[in-house]
Amino acid sequence: HLVESGGGLVQSGGSLRLSCASSGLASNAFTMGWFRLSPGDEREFVAGITVSGLTTNYADSVQGRFTISRDNVKRMVYLQMTSLTPEDTALYYCAARKGDISQGHNDYAYWGQGTQVTVSS
């Protein structure tokens, strides 16, 4: 239902923009979130955005560096990432849920396959 793109290899301090497209899912009716998974870690909440786009929420580790946004006409969700560090290296997923933004990955019903972000030092 969800397909992420935009990942890649970037140097520390660089920027990337991730995109999440929906297919067969009316993502414009869902709260959307971005999560990431690093080897040996649990899936970590990164950012979330409500259906209207008026409310967003960020993990402390990315606050001020990442921006989540959405285009409900195009059924797209974006994650603009700046000032990247090697600690941001992970597989990034977008996810959808009904209701408010949640930082718990178990609260999201729909997931993409992920896009890899690698930040070199």
Side-chain angles (χ1 to χ4, degrees), residues 7-14 16 18 35-44 46 61-62 65-66 79 81-93 115-121:
L9 174 64
V10 63
Q11 289 187 332
S12 183
L16 279 176
L18 305 184
F35 289 77
R36 64 188 182 186
L37 181 63
S38 303
D41 290 339
E42 294 186 353
R43 199 167 297 195
E44 176 191 17
V46 175
S61 58
V62 307
R65 300 188 298 122
F66 291 11
L79 185 68
M81 307 186 295
T82 63
S83 301
L84 286 162
T85 73
E87 288 68 37
D88 295 314
T89 295
L91 187 60
Y92 283 72
Y93 299 88
T115 184
Q116 179 66 39
V117 172
T118 303
V119 184
S120 63
S121 57

Side-chain angles (χ1 to χ4, degrees), residues 20-91:
C20 174
S22 64
S23 174
L25 177 71
S27 63
N28 52 2
F30 288 78
T31 287
M32 300 297 294
W34 284 97
F35 289 77
R36 64 188 182 186
L37 181 63
S38 303
D41 290 339
E42 294 186 353
R43 199 167 297 195
E44 176 191 17
F45 172 82
V46 175
I49 187 168
T50 54
V51 172
S52 67
L54 294 178
T55 301
T56 58
N57 185 259
Y58 296 91
D60 290 343
S61 58
V62 307
Q63 181 76 48
R65 300 188 298 122
F66 291 11
T67 302
I68 188 171
S69 61
R70 67 190 301 161
D71 184 330
N72 284 339
V73 174
K74 296 181 179 179
R75 297 186 180 182
M76 296 290 294
V77 180
Y78 306 99
L79 185 68
Q80 179 68 49
M81 307 186 295
T82 63
S83 301
L84 286 162
T85 73
E87 288 68 37
D88 295 314
T89 295
L91 187 60

